[in-house]
Amino acid sequence: EELLIDFCELVGEHLGENLAHAVYNTLNTCGLKGHVVAINADNALNNDTMVEHLEMLLQQDFIKFSPPDVRICCMPHTVHLA
């Protein structure tokens, strides 16, 4: 089952740090901090940076979050680039 929990305008550039703050705010609003199992996004470098910054934000709340364990690259993008 799929569920869209938020769709927000990103203020500023699509930098990983800005993306992380947007995701963090959504997780906080929806009560999902500490419940993230995976983040699936395209293979752009800013998404790698986003999960690294998200880790720092969640650590401030004493929530364990491991970017290498939760980051899932989009398979169709990977196959298309191959």
Side-chain angles (χ1 to χ4, degrees):
E1 182 175 328
E2 295 179 20
L3 174 67
L4 177 63
I5 59 172
D6 196 8
F7 192 87
C8 61
E9 181 178 356
L10 187 63
V11 178
E13 297 181 54
H14 287 199
L15 302 174
E17 188 171 355
N18 291 340
L19 293 168
H21 283 284
V23 171
Y24 178 84
N25 290 337
T26 297
L27 294 176
N28 191 42
T29 300
C30 296
L32 296 173
K33 291 189 307 184
H35 299 284
V36 176
V37 176
I39 294 179
N40 186 340
D42 68 24
N43 303 341
L45 186 58
N46 62 340
N47 289 319
D48 292 333
T49 306
M50 182 265 297
V51 292
E52 291 167 3
H53 281 280
L54 186 56
E55 176 185 30
M56 290 186 281
L57 293 170
L58 291 170
Q59 282 179 344
Q60 292 174 359
D61 296 329
F62 306 102
I63 296 172
K64 289 185 177 184
F65 182 83
S66 174
D69 293 334
V70 300
R71 173 76 165 97
I72 300 173
C73 292
C74 178
M75 183 57 79
H77 280 97
T78 303
V79 171
H80 179 72
L81 294 172

